[in-house]
Amino acid sequence: MSMAVDERFDPYAVFAASVKRFPEHPALRIGALQWSYSELEAQAASIAGWCELNTPSGSRVAVHGAKGAIAYAAILGILRSGRSYVPLHPDHPPARWRAIIERSGASACIADPTYAQQIQAEVEIPVCSDPSGASVVPARGGEEAYVMFTSGSTGGPKGVPITRANVAAYLEHVLTEYRFRAGEHFSQLFALTFDLSVHDLFVCWGSGGCLCVPEDDSALRIPSYLEQQRITSWFSVPSLASLLRRMRAIRPGAFPHLRYSFFCGEALPVDLAKAWCEAASGSAVVNLYGPTEATIAITAFDVRKMDPASTGTVPLGRAIGGNVARVERADDAVEGELLLSGPQLSAGYLNDPIATKKAFVKAPGDERTWYRTGDIVRLDVEGILHFVGRTDDQVKVLGHRVEPGEVDTLLRARVPDASVLTLPISGSGSTRLVTFIDRNVDTPPLLLDLRKELPAYMVPERIICVDGFPTTAHGKVDRKALIDLAQHG
Ligand code: AMP
């Protein structure tokens, strides 16, 4: 991106500035482990030194995302060395790690010592778990910050490279808008493979806060963790808040320490947002929205300003910072597809010019590149965006983005000539996937195969064999009839 971005908000620079200002403040807490800013910087500097010695300049370095201290130091160290990081989810199957390493061309992997041997057995690049002893070199700038992989409809993970300037544009807005005090306690609940974790890490370290990583992040343990750690800044997908609500943990006054609550990743139901506002009465509550392609989040809405009579889902708000949003509508339509442009936009998918050309477009007479989100929105008279739905099949399963087509492509390769269709089935506040195949096949081995290639949330709950797909009066596949079959058949 050629747009001018304030370099002080570069992700490594914001951390380095806090190291200078608050060297002895806690920066990272995981269970009994606590590192101060200067301790975390020392670890990051060793990792940067290791990268200098062992990986090509400017290359990508994978990070095994088990949330041990080394993963956090690795992210910082990789950036410090001018390289970019590629997170691998610890629970995803090794075939997925290999696909991501291959697609990103990562030159090495940094992993917690507990997992290093297991990972080394699965991947061909060098795995480092002990960078100590590497000589410390000065911090360098770099172009790219990270590559996150999301579900791709053509049958494999799709890489989204994000530059340091993209992240700086986000940080500049968030750090100036919300005025965090030094010493804030930030929750770190997102997987490192989800770009919302970048907010956790760098908003925290950019404001002199302590990043609090629960060792057990099951929903059951979260309320007591919040209390024990005196968490003051919360960030999660609405699904997690929904789960807490079902556990009856969101009672009025339940979260007295919270000063900030951010939600992002999927639609935030109004009733849930209202319950959260009462539980965290001293907290700003913000609905963030944004695809990975536009870096973390690109619109924001202050939930406390919501019309009390609202129902449905919380508005998405307006574009933040120097970003712009445009709704592409037919003349008489009130809704349309949301297009985004600005300093947070990725330049396009990694090594995928076809997908890039489809999603990153130019309008006649306009120099800017726009990203087609695939989200349908409504723009109200005050210029506030409201979420309506999707133009395609993409769904969210517990906040994870899933292209059902990715599941279908893998299955079609195994059952040639069959018609395959994966559909989302919603019920009791969550979404599940069910796949239909118009052939009589032995389904357990197919599901086993999928588990070897896909993250658990992408594996359909069931595969249902049908004798031909039902069709509508227009001759299209009758999705509703299939969903009914899954629910009641
Ligand atoms: P991801 O790239 O995984 O962050 O997923 C981005 C997609 O999640 C968006 O294109 C939306 O469909 C959905 N999304 C993210 N935030 C929100 C939100 N606040 N409300 C509704 N949908 C959201």
Side-chain angles (χ1 to χ4, degrees):
M1 277 273 134
S2 54
M3 256 161 272
V5 168
D6 188 336
E7 285 182 0
R8 285 173 306 165
F9 292 97
D10 169 85
Y12 193 79
V14 297
F15 169 71
S18 290
V19 174
K20 277 218 174 84
R21 290 177 65 200
F22 318 109
E24 301 314 322
H25 279 204
L28 178 66
R29 191 180 287 160
I30 311 175
L33 174 140
Q34 179 170 295
W35 280 349
S36 65
Y37 272 87
S38 56
E39 285 167 322
L40 181 56
E41 192 213 17
Q43 297 289 333
S46 297
I47 291 174
W50 186 90
C51 291
E52 284 285 348
L53 263 185
N54 298 283
T55 67
S57 161
S59 63
R60 301 192 175 108
V61 179
V63 176
H64 183 257
K67 292 174 166 180
I70 196 161
Y72 296 95
I75 290 174
L76 285 166
I78 292 166
L79 292 178
R80 187 186 154 106
S81 74
R83 287 150 179 83
S84 79
Y85 77 94
V86 183
L88 303 176
H89 197 293
D91 297 338
H92 290 182
R96 189 97 175 160
W97 300 343
R98 285 191 290 269
I100 288 174
I101 288 171
E102 193 187 312
R103 282 168 196 221
S104 66
S107 54
C109 176
I110 299 175
D112 203 272
T114 331
Y115 303 96
Q117 254 189 338
Q118 179 209 345
I119 303 160
Q120 189 65 85
E122 301 287 353
V123 302
E124 295 197 342
I125 53 176
V127 177
C128 160
S129 62
D130 180 15
S132 57
S135 58
V136 171
V137 286
R140 286 170 182 259
E143 273 281 310
E144 191 178 276
Y146 56 82
V147 183
M148 296 277 167
F149 280 81
T150 74
S151 175
S153 55
T154 50
K158 193 161 68 173
V160 184
I162 294 295
T163 63
R164 292 168 75 135
N166 292 150
V167 180
Y170 179 76
L171 291 177
E172 176 171 4
H173 172 77
V174 173
L175 291 174
T176 45
E177 174 80 11
Y178 298 104
R179 305 187 165 277
F180 300 92
R181 295 195 290 238
E184 217 75 67
H185 288 181
F186 287 80
S187 67
Q188 211 284 278
L189 303 170
F190 289 109
L192 298 175
T193 44
F194 200 167
D195 73 338
L196 302 180
S197 65
V198 180
H199 166 115
D200 292 341
L201 274 58
F202 291 97
V203 172
C204 172
W205 294 329
S207 56
C210 178
L211 190 70
C212 301
V213 187
E215 285 182 302
D216 176 352
D217 63 3
S218 57
L220 265 181
R221 302 258 176 245
I222 297 285
S224 56
Y225 185 78
L226 275 189
E227 180 64 31
Q228 278 160 12
Q229 299 293 323
R230 299 272 191 274
I231 298 293
T232 58
S233 182
W234 166 273
F235 192 18
S236 80
V237 285
S239 295
L240 178 56
S242 231
L243 258 172
L244 296 182
R245 195 166 184 220
R246 265 181 274 149
M247 288 161 38
R248 302 191 189 288
I250 308 191
R251 296 174 315 275
F255 308 134
H257 308 298
L258 284 185
R259 295 177 8 93
Y260 300 96
S261 306
F262 295 98
F263 294 97
C264 189
E266 55 194 357
L268 175 62
V270 166
D271 57 337
L272 181 62
K274 285 184 178 163
W276 192 277
C277 285
E278 284 183 26
S281 54
S283 171
V285 181
V286 185
N287 182 28
L288 296 172
Y289 155 89
T292 306
E293 290 84 339
T295 313
I296 311 170
I298 192 163
T299 76
F301 183 79
D302 177 351
V303 175
R304 298 219 181 256
K305 295 208 177 116
M306 188 168 60
D307 176 352
S310 304
T311 53
T313 61
V314 176
L316 306 182
R318 299 173 203 271
I320 59 172
N323 300 291
V324 272
R326 178 158 74 84
V327 186
E328 195 179 74
R329 290 178 286 210
D331 282 347
D332 49 353
V334 287
E335 310 169 347
E337 185 176 358
L338 176 64
L339 276 74
L340 299 168
S341 189
Q344 285 180 215
L345 217 63
S346 165
Y349 300 110
L350 195 65
N351 305 329
D352 194 342
I354 297 174
T356 301
K357 204 166 163 213
K358 242 172 101 182
F360 293 82
V361 297
K362 286 225 156 70
D366 186 350
E367 271 304 290
R368 289 175 290 194
T369 299
W370 293 86
Y371 172 66
R372 289 192 163 282
T373 61
D375 288 316
I376 301 172
V377 297
R378 175 173 62 80
L379 185 69
D380 71 17
V381 286
E382 285 164 32
I384 303 284
L385 298 161
H386 298 255
F387 185 71
V388 177
R390 293 283 308 169
T391 58
D392 59 12
D393 294 337
Q394 183 180 297
V395 286
K396 285 281 179 154
V397 178
L398 290 172
H400 301 286
R401 172 165 156 183
V402 179
E403 294 277 4
E406 183 169 355
V407 182
D408 297 349
T409 307
L410 289 175
L411 284 173
R412 268 189 219 112
R414 286 168 174 78
V415 192
D417 304 326
S419 294
V420 181
L421 184 64
T422 298
L423 292 175
I425 315 279
S426 18
S428 65
S430 65
T431 298
R432 308 164 286 132
L433 297 174
V434 175
T435 301
F436 301 88
I437 298 189
D438 71 340
R439 202 72 28 126
N440 231 334
V441 284
D442 192 15
T443 60
L446 282 180
L447 284 168
L448 209 65
D449 266 10
L450 290 181
R451 275 188 208 111
K452 285 191 196 140
E453 302 227 10
L454 296 174
Y457 60 81
M458 286 180 70
V459 178
E461 187 184 70
R462 272 189 298 160
I463 297 179
I464 301 179
C465 300
V466 290
D467 186 12
F469 284 171
T471 49
T472 64
H474 302 292
K476 288 193 175 164
V477 173
D478 189 344
R479 293 171 170 239
K480 199 175 158 299
L482 286 171
I483 290 173
D484 280 352
L485 181 71
Q487 279 169 331
H488 313 292

